[in-house]
Amino acid sequence: MKLFRGLRNEAVMRTRNIVSGTASTEPNSVEYSGKTAAPAGRKFKPLTLPQILRRNSKSNTNITAPDVPNTSSVITAPLEELLTFEQNLERNHLSAAGQQLIEREERLYGQISEEVVQSTTEREEEKEQLTRDHKALLSQIDLAVKSSLSPDEDSLEALKSAVKAIQQEEEQDRQWLKQEGKRPDWRPSECRRHHNTVLQSLVEERMDNAELPPEESNKLRSSLQRDVCGKGRRLQEDLLRVVKDVKGCYPEDMDICNFFGKMYHQAFSAGMRKIEEYGLGMDDCSYLLYWVNVAYPEILQNPELTKVINPEMFGKLLTEELTTPLENQCLTHKEAEVQTLINKVLMVEEQAWMEGSVPELRDDCYFSPLAIDVIQFINAAVKSIETVWGDTSKVQIIVCLLKDFLNSYKKFQEKVLKGSNNGNSRTVIMAILACVEQFRDYIVNKADIFPVDVKECCLSIVAEMKNIGYTSLTSPIHKDLKSQYSGLGTPVWLEKKKEVFEKLFEGINKHTQDLKGLTDSCHQELLSQLHLEVTVEYVRRLLKRKIKLRDKEMQEQAARLLCEDGQRLHKLFTEAGSREEWLSDILPKIAEVLKLQDISSIQLEIVTLSQAYPDLSEFQVSALLSLKSNLSASAVKRVKKTLLDNQDTTSSQDAPSFFSKVQVR
């Protein structure tokens, strides 16, 4: 209003000068209508103030400086720079054009100055013209808003001016709501709401028309994938442009970045829902879930966007109600696919064994691709699910298949052992042991994706298969050494000293040399197990009580033989690859009991033995003491009581298990 009044007062003063014959003859003077003044000395027809105002309103040539909020600049600026409403509109000076309309609106609908005398007809004509001009302004604002995502500088300048014009319109709406009386038909104009509607339409149109470049489009398998990826790409690029360019055209209170983010989210979500309504193949189903769970959240986590956009306000791209059926479809298909593949691998393995095929020899080790194939199938499914869901929360349905597979694999191993007459059974068992080792490593390394109970069950099956496999390889060795074992702990063993053990030693050495075809780690484990089993058999034979050590001399002789045999056995096995270092103490500790004569010392040694091996039983102690035939029954009873008194309080949970494997009758 100040601007309008200033211009009006200037017009009044100039009119008075004309009437009084004192019109200015300055060469740069401009009439209020915007036309250049006549040359000096030219006579003007005197104009009254109402005539000037009527002329101004009819020709719609309000004059203002473009988008200059400070009215003082209008007064002091060169008159040649003053623009009409039409000129401001044409040059996208929408804020200035809007201000001109507001001033005309206040003049026509507000308090009329006593100086202004207009007919009703003239006023109505001006109101109609104002209505048309207001529509033209809103149309131009719409165009500026629709061009907000254009990259050129002119579009951004037009948008800045349009936003200011919208703010002016909103303020004018609020002013009218505070007043009574007749107001323009377009008030309230709700320009902000209309702006939001235009932006929403713009976003929807851009998302509907989003397309990928041909070189990227050709990489995707289906039109659905191209559509989803195109929309996602458009969303990403446009939001980055909003943050970089559009944000600066709006005041902070309009929160334009989050507004755009919400509009794009809704448009993308609507497109996804339409796609989801159709039956989806597995590839498309997985791709859709990938965008919902991974790709879209990653876009919103872009550091440039997170500074000004809060994605938590938007919610999920698709609701759980819509994604759950897709997830179930995807998981069920993936589970069935993996189940079919791993079952086929086992079937091929079993068929090869039945046909008498010998496993492939690689680096002197019998090899089967079964474990590698099964692990690859499971891993591929796990990675696929991790890609689609963005985490490991759903992979358990796949890894649980390994438990059932291992049970089936164990049954196959048992079948091979029952058909041990087949010429290839021994080599197949060696290949199975290599596979079992690979399964164990996979389960241990991927423990985080297994449910605890499933992991423990799988490791238990693997351990059992290893034990069965190694036992099947050591059993023939023990059977072959049976005659050599039989001399241990007998009078012949004591009388002929090293002769009995020498035969056993040679037999064991020969068999350790023949254990070939296993991987290094399996070979070490097999030798460790054989080392343990031979030591157990040695002690078992000793505790069969086939010899009576009647005096100190015999007992010390037996103790020396035990120590010597123990040292040679330990050296043989450790040099061959056994890792059971602890077995070196078994025979010397038993020898110490045989050597001691003092009851108190024997009691102490038995307690020490039970501390080292908590599975030492009272019955085994009785068998050991019975070798010392010079011990009285009361002495044996005292020793056993000492064992029982100390066994529960001194046992160690970390101690290895040995005597529980020694069966004594």
Side-chain angles (χ1 to χ4, degrees):
M1 290 298 291
K2 290 180 179 179
L3 176 63
F4 171 75
R5 288 169 184 167
L7 293 173
R8 187 184 64 183
N9 291 339
E10 182 184 350
V12 171
M13 291 299 297
R14 290 175 59 214
T15 302
R16 290 173 179 172
N17 290 338
I18 293 171
V19 172
S20 61
T22 58
S24 173
T25 59
E26 294 180 10
N28 290 332
S29 61
V30 180
E31 289 185 346
Y32 185 68
S33 63
K35 297 179 181 180
T36 306
R42 181 177 175 179
K43 294 184 178 180
F44 291 89
K45 182 179 179 180
L47 296 175
T48 64
L49 179 58
Q51 287 176 315
I52 294 175
L53 293 177
R54 282 199 302 272
R55 178 181 175 184
N56 184 38
S57 63
K58 288 180 180 180
S59 61
N60 191 30
T61 54
N62 297 45
I63 301 173
T64 184
D67 289 349
V68 181
N70 192 338
T71 56
S72 62
S73 63
V74 176
I75 297 172
T76 59
L79 293 178
E80 290 88 350
E81 296 180 6
L82 299 180
L83 303 176
T84 66
F85 169 76
E86 290 85 353
Q87 290 171 325
N88 278 324
L89 206 61
E90 181 181 355
R91 301 183 188 186
N92 276 325
H93 299 163
L94 305 181
S95 174
Q99 185 62 45
Q100 287 174 315
L101 296 188
I102 289 173
E103 291 171 358
R104 287 166 58 189
E105 177 185 336
E106 289 181 351
R107 180 173 59 81
L108 291 173
Y109 289 91
Q111 196 69 25
I112 302 176
S113 172
E114 294 180 357
E115 297 183 43
V116 180
V117 180
Q118 282 183 294
S119 68
T120 303
T121 303
E122 289 175 335
R123 288 178 59 81
E124 290 304 317
E125 288 178 356
E126 286 193 47
K127 288 181 179 180
E128 291 175 3
Q129 182 62 43
L130 181 59
T131 301
R132 289 191 294 271
D133 290 346
H134 190 266
K135 288 181 179 179
L137 174 66
L138 295 184
S139 297
Q140 202 66 19
I141 290 175
D142 284 357
L143 290 176
V145 172
K146 289 177 181 178
S147 301
S148 57
L149 294 175
S150 299
D152 59 280
E153 189 66 29
D154 290 342
S155 297
L156 293 177
E157 288 300 320
L159 179 62
K160 287 181 183 179
S161 187
V163 171
K164 291 180 182 178
I166 291 170
Q167 291 178 290
Q168 292 168 184
E169 286 292 303
E170 289 289 294
E171 177 60 27
Q172 191 70 0
D173 283 348
R174 287 190 289 271
Q175 293 301 322
W176 275 112
L177 290 175
K178 296 177 183 178
Q179 299 178 14
E180 297 181 357
K182 184 173 176 57
R183 59 191 179 194
D185 294 338
W186 65 81
R187 292 294 178 196
S189 64
E190 297 183 333
C191 205
R192 172 81 173 269
R193 184 178 62 81
H194 182 68
H195 157 272
N196 293 350
T197 303
V198 171
L199 276 188
Q200 182 176 357
S201 299
L202 170 66
V203 169
E204 291 172 354
E205 180 182 355
R206 289 181 66 82
M207 290 293 279
D208 288 341
N209 297 329
E211 292 183 355
L212 289 173
E215 62 273 12
E216 294 186 28
S217 178
N218 295 334
K219 296 177 183 178
L220 298 174
R221 297 182 179 181
S222 68
S223 59
L224 180 145
Q225 294 179 17
R226 288 188 283 271
D227 182 47
V228 172
C229 187
K231 284 180 167 59
R233 177 69 62 81
R234 173 57 56 82
L235 177 146
Q236 181 182 34
E237 292 174 350
D238 284 1
L239 287 184
L240 287 172
R241 185 175 297 164
V242 166
V243 172
K244 180 182 177 183
D245 299 326
V246 178
K247 174 176 173 285
C249 300
Y250 286 82
E252 288 187 11
D253 64 321
M254 291 188 74
D255 197 14
I256 195 62
C257 293
N258 275 313
F259 179 80
F260 263 107
K262 184 177 180 181
M263 292 300 101
Y264 273 100
H265 175 85
Q266 291 175 348
F268 200 13
S269 178
M272 288 287 201
R273 289 195 299 272
K274 288 180 182 178
I275 293 172
E276 189 270 341
E277 291 174 0
Y278 301 99
L280 300 178
M282 274 313 304
D283 285 343
D284 288 343
C285 180
S286 298
Y287 194 77
L288 190 67
L289 288 172
Y290 164 72
W291 268 94
V292 170
N293 296 320
V294 181
Y296 179 61
E298 284 181 353
I299 288 175
L300 297 184
Q301 290 304 315
N302 183 304
E304 294 299 314
L305 299 182
T306 54
K307 293 177 182 178
V308 288
I309 293 179
N310 179 14
E312 294 181 2
M313 297 170 55
F314 310 152
K316 285 193 171 184
L317 201 56
L318 289 180
T319 63
E320 289 187 8
E321 182 181 359
L322 295 175
T323 57
T324 298
L326 296 177
E327 291 175 352
N328 292 337
Q329 176 188 346
C330 185
L331 290 173
T332 301
H333 175 84
K334 192 63 68 177
E335 180 185 20
E337 181 182 53
V338 173
Q339 185 76 68
T340 301
L341 290 170
I342 62 179
N343 286 346
K344 185 177 180 180
V345 170
L346 183 56
M347 183 179 66
V348 170
E349 190 81 358
E350 186 170 353
Q351 185 66 32
W353 168 72
M354 292 175 65
E355 293 174 354
S357 298
V358 176
E360 179 185 353
L361 201 60
R362 290 188 182 179
D363 298 326
D364 297 325
C365 304
Y366 290 104
F367 168 80
S368 168
L370 179 140
I372 293 175
D373 290 344
V374 170
I375 290 172
Q376 282 182 345
F377 290 140
I378 291 177
N379 253 348
V382 167
K383 288 181 179 178
S384 174
I385 292 173
E386 286 179 341
T387 299
V388 169
W389 271 266
D391 55 42
T392 60
S393 61
K394 302 292 183 179
V395 302
Q396 294 183 351
I397 192 173
I398 300 299
V399 297
C400 285
L401 295 175
L402 187 58
K403 181 182 74 173
D404 294 335
F405 175 82
L406 288 175
N407 277 321
S408 300
Y409 196 31
K410 181 170 173 286
K411 291 178 182 178
F412 168 64
Q413 183 189 40
E414 292 168 351
K415 190 182 294 186
V416 172
L417 292 174
K418 288 179 181 178
S420 57
N421 293 331
N422 293 12
N424 63 344
S425 290
R426 187 171 184 272
T427 57
V428 170
I429 289 297
M430 288 184 174
I432 288 175
L433 285 169
C435 288
V436 167
E437 182 182 43
Q438 290 173 317
F439 282 127
R440 179 194 60 191
D441 292 344
Y442 176 73
I443 295 166
V444 171
N445 293 333
K446 295 286 187 178
D448 57 314
I449 65 175
F450 283 84
V452 176
D453 58 330
V454 174
K455 181 192 71 175
E456 291 177 352
C457 183
C458 288
L459 289 175
S460 175
I461 296 171
V462 165
E464 192 174 352
M465 289 184 70
K466 283 174 55 183
N467 185 58
I468 292 172
Y470 291 142
T471 301
S472 72
L473 296 175
T474 60
S475 292
I477 296 175
H478 295 305
K479 186 177 180 180
D480 185 62
L481 296 174
K482 186 175 182 180
S483 59
Q484 287 92 321
Y485 283 138
S486 62
L488 296 174
T490 65
V492 177
W493 166 69
L494 192 60
E495 291 169 4
K496 295 188 177 182
K497 298 183 180 180
K498 298 182 180 180
E499 184 177 334
V500 172
F501 180 75
E502 194 64 37
K503 291 181 179 179
L504 175 63
F505 184 86
E506 290 176 358
I508 294 172
N509 188 41
K510 177 179 179 299
H511 281 292
T512 57
Q513 298 296 324
D514 292 339
L515 288 175
K516 297 178 181 179
L518 290 168
T519 63
D520 290 343
S521 56
C522 286
H523 188 258
Q524 287 182 343
E525 289 182 354
L526 177 61
L527 283 169
S528 296
Q529 180 163 323
L530 183 60
H531 187 184
L532 174 62
E533 290 173 353
V534 168
T535 308
V536 167
E537 184 63 19
Y538 192 114
V539 175
R540 189 182 74 83
R541 294 282 178 172
L542 183 65
L543 297 184
K544 290 184 75 172
R545 294 169 283 193
K546 290 185 177 182
I547 187 174
K548 297 295 182 181
L549 305 175
R550 292 183 298 272
D551 53 32
K552 177 181 178 182
E553 183 180 351
M554 291 182 68
Q555 292 168 17
E556 288 179 347
Q557 183 182 352
R560 284 195 299 273
L561 281 176
L562 280 175
C563 289
E564 291 173 2
D565 292 351
Q567 289 175 359
R568 294 189 67 190
L569 278 176
H570 183 70
K571 183 179 180 181
L572 169 65
F573 279 108
T574 53
E575 288 182 352
S578 171
R579 293 172 294 184
E580 304 301 328
E581 293 287 343
W582 63 278
L583 289 172
S584 63
D585 295 331
I586 297 290
L587 295 183
K589 286 182 181 296
I590 293 175
E592 190 66 22
V593 174
L594 295 179
K595 184 176 67 173
L596 293 173
Q597 302 299 313
D598 179 66
I599 295 300
S600 298
S601 298
I602 294 173
Q603 286 176 304
L604 180 60
E605 191 61 34
I606 289 295
V607 170
T608 302
L609 189 64
S610 68
Q611 289 177 340
Y613 311 104
D615 55 345
L616 177 67
S617 69
E618 179 187 0
F619 190 70
Q620 290 166 335
V621 171
S622 295
L624 177 58
L625 295 178
S626 68
L627 298 177
K628 298 168 70 70
S629 57
N630 60 343
L631 277 181
S632 64
S634 61
V636 172
K637 188 175 181 179
R638 284 171 57 192
V639 173
K640 291 197 295 184
K641 185 178 184 305
T642 303
L643 170 70
L644 296 176
D645 290 343
N646 291 275
Q647 202 164 32
D648 294 337
T649 59
T650 60
S651 61
S652 171
Q653 294 180 350
D654 298 329
S657 173
F658 178 81
F659 283 97
S660 58
K661 297 178 174 62
V662 180
Q663 302 297 318
V664 179
R665 297 179 181 177

